[in-house]
Amino acid sequence: MAEKILMKGNEAIAYGAMDCGCDGYFGYPITPQSEVMETLMKEKPWEKNGMVVLQAESETSSINMVYGGACCGKKVMTSSSSPGISLMCEGLSYLAGAELPCVVVNCQRGGPGLGTIQPSQSDYNQCVKGGGHGDYNAIVLAPASAQDMYDFVDWGFDLAFKYRTPVIILADGIIGQMMEKVELRPEKPRMTDEELKAIAPWATTGKSADRPYNFITSLALESDVQERFNQKLAAKYEVIKENEVRYEEYQTEDAEYLFVAFGCSARIGEAVVDQLREEGIKAGLLRPVTLFPFPTKRLQELSGQVKSMMSIELNLGQMVDDVRLAVNGTVPVGFYGRQGGIIYTPDEIVEAFKKFNNLK
């Protein structure tokens, strides 16, 4: 029987890293995600399986250490919170430009600037639309529970190596700090040299009998070379959009009104749906699990069923733009959000929903 432990979402990230065979974690403390590194330091995985855990001198150093480890084909990751992720954006662009796999956790807090240490979902645009410079995307996963935080690390590495791309786990301060039971898997061993050659034949592990030295860069001085590379990336992202979309639905079978929410907002959204159903209003919820790729096709399908949609987010309105693009004017799309670390209640969402739909 699998072991279940009560832990914070941030602690679950740490256990997910240790149990999935992660080779290295490089990070820097910042509220509200500091428990990730604290848990790793407490558990000392370097004594058990050789996993490297290092506190860098800054977030900039952290992401560049990830770059170095990823060049060698290792499973490497970092975590931070909003201002720290901003400092990592140049490195994320380099990772995407060099087609290097890694996992980056963003446990969001309110901004802009130093903002507040309270939870937020205001980094949606930054992470889903790229974040750094140039034409690129990262795969973005949105956990809604401590169990997701644990599971998404392993899933994130699978996707990162499958597509040679950074994967961002876009959490928020609520999911990072809340405590829930987490079911742990048996620990995976770290990759052997032979497994590394199989999963990452492009890695800079030196010359071997069957190939010359590998060379990794994100620099292309000739315009036609850069254009072909941009087009190669674009083609890869289309494959990701076709094959890796994940979402969950709650009471959508007969829904006449649809809420769209990710992360902690999706959990609150389920309570809103239940409350409206008790009043005889057929509401449902779609929770995007992948924010990139976004569940555009499913929203298009549901737009032919429902009278309206409403995006609920802890920001000023970011994912709502993608919902509106998905339905392309088929149905009205509303928005309700709070900022500054204030968490909405189901009652106030219900009130905003009724106002938007002219319902009593």
Side-chain angles (χ1 to χ4, degrees):
M1 185 175 179
E3 183 180 14
K4 292 185 179 181
I5 300 178
L6 184 67
M7 65 178 72
K8 286 185 176 184
N10 288 333
E11 295 169 333
I13 289 285
Y15 279 96
M18 291 185 288
D19 289 349
C20 79
C22 180
D23 294 299
Y25 170 92
F26 310 98
Y28 190 77
I30 180 174
T31 305
Q33 66 79 51
S34 296
E35 291 89 354
V36 178
M37 183 187 298
E38 290 170 358
T39 302
L40 289 169
M41 291 296 186
K42 176 183 176 182
E43 293 297 325
K44 300 180 181 179
W46 56 88
E47 294 181 352
K48 301 173 184 176
N49 63 12
M51 176 184 171
V52 174
V53 181
L54 179 64
Q55 177 177 323
E57 62 268 35
S58 70
E59 291 88 351
T60 306
S61 297
S62 299
I63 198 67
N64 284 290
M65 290 176 181
V66 168
Y67 186 102
C71 282
C72 299
K74 299 296 185 180
K75 284 185 175 181
V76 287
M77 65 178 292
T78 186
S79 65
S80 190
S81 184
S82 307
I85 295 296
S86 294
L87 291 171
M88 294 183 181
C89 280
E90 181 187 28
L92 277 167
S93 180
Y94 275 59
L95 283 154
E99 293 192 278
L100 291 172
C102 66
V103 171
V104 176
V105 181
N106 181 1
C107 191
Q108 301 166 87
R109 60 190 254 184
L114 286 175
T116 175
I117 63 173
Q118 304 304 322
S120 177
Q121 294 181 320
S122 55
D123 299 353
Y124 178 94
N125 282 342
Q126 179 192 47
C127 293
V128 173
K129 307 303 181 184
H133 59 284
D135 284 320
Y136 82 93
N137 285 102
I139 295 175
V140 182
L141 314 178
S145 66
Q147 185 69 55
D148 283 350
M149 296 281 262
Y150 177 82
D151 292 337
F152 284 13
V153 180
D154 191 29
W155 181 30
F157 275 121
D158 286 346
L159 292 171
F161 276 85
K162 181 178 181 180
Y163 294 104
R164 285 186 62 182
T165 189
V167 172
I168 297 174
I169 298 176
L170 189 61
D172 54 67
I174 293 178
I175 303 299
Q177 292 296 322
M178 70 189 303
M179 296 191 75
E180 295 182 306
K181 286 189 293 185
V182 176
E183 184 174 308
L184 305 182
R185 299 179 303 271
E187 183 178 334
K188 288 184 181 179
R190 291 172 56 216
M191 288 186 292
T192 64
D193 289 343
E194 290 304 314
E195 289 170 331
L196 174 58
K197 289 180 182 179
I199 195 174
W202 43 263
T204 53
T205 52
K207 186 178 180 180
S208 65
D210 57 344
R211 65 160 177 81
Y213 292 109
N214 283 331
F215 180 69
I216 292 175
T217 183
S218 63
L219 176 66
L221 295 178
E222 298 179 3
S223 298
D224 59 336
V225 174
Q226 183 65 55
E227 182 178 53
R228 287 195 298 272
F229 179 71
N230 287 142
Q231 292 169 348
K232 174 190 174 184
L233 285 183
K236 176 169 69 174
Y237 300 145
E238 288 303 313
V239 173
I240 293 171
K241 290 177 184 178
E242 187 64 30
N243 296 313
E244 305 301 341
V245 175
R246 301 290 186 275
Y247 54 85
E248 292 182 354
E249 297 185 38
Y250 183 68
Q251 300 210 47
T252 59
E253 296 85 356
D254 62 344
E256 296 178 355
Y257 301 93
L258 185 73
F259 292 94
V260 186
F262 68 98
C264 67
S265 293
R267 296 178 66 149
I268 299 170
E270 289 187 9
V272 172
V273 169
D274 291 342
Q275 186 169 329
L276 288 170
R277 290 258 171 183
E278 289 177 3
E279 297 180 25
I281 299 172
K282 294 180 179 179
L285 171 76
L286 184 138
R287 171 204 163 199
V289 177
T290 54
L291 299 178
F292 182 88
F294 194 68
T296 300
K297 291 181 180 179
R298 183 55 182 151
L299 284 169
Q300 289 172 343
E301 293 169 355
L302 288 168
S303 71
Q305 171 186 326
V306 300
K307 298 176 181 178
S308 73
M309 297 184 184
M310 174 170 277
S311 183
I312 49 177
E313 312 169 50
L314 292 176
N315 55 46
L316 282 169
Q318 297 187 19
M319 183 179 68
V320 64
D321 293 335
D322 287 331
V323 177
R324 287 173 176 148
L325 285 170
V327 303
N328 195 25
T330 307
V331 294
V333 177
F335 167 77
Y336 186 74
R338 297 297 300 268
Q339 302 83 45
I342 298 174
I343 312 302
Y344 28 51
T345 66
D347 285 343
E348 62 187 275
I349 296 172
V350 167
E351 182 180 353
F353 161 81
K354 289 181 177 179
K355 182 177 181 180
F356 177 70
N357 289 282
N358 295 315
L359 299 173
K360 293 183 179 180

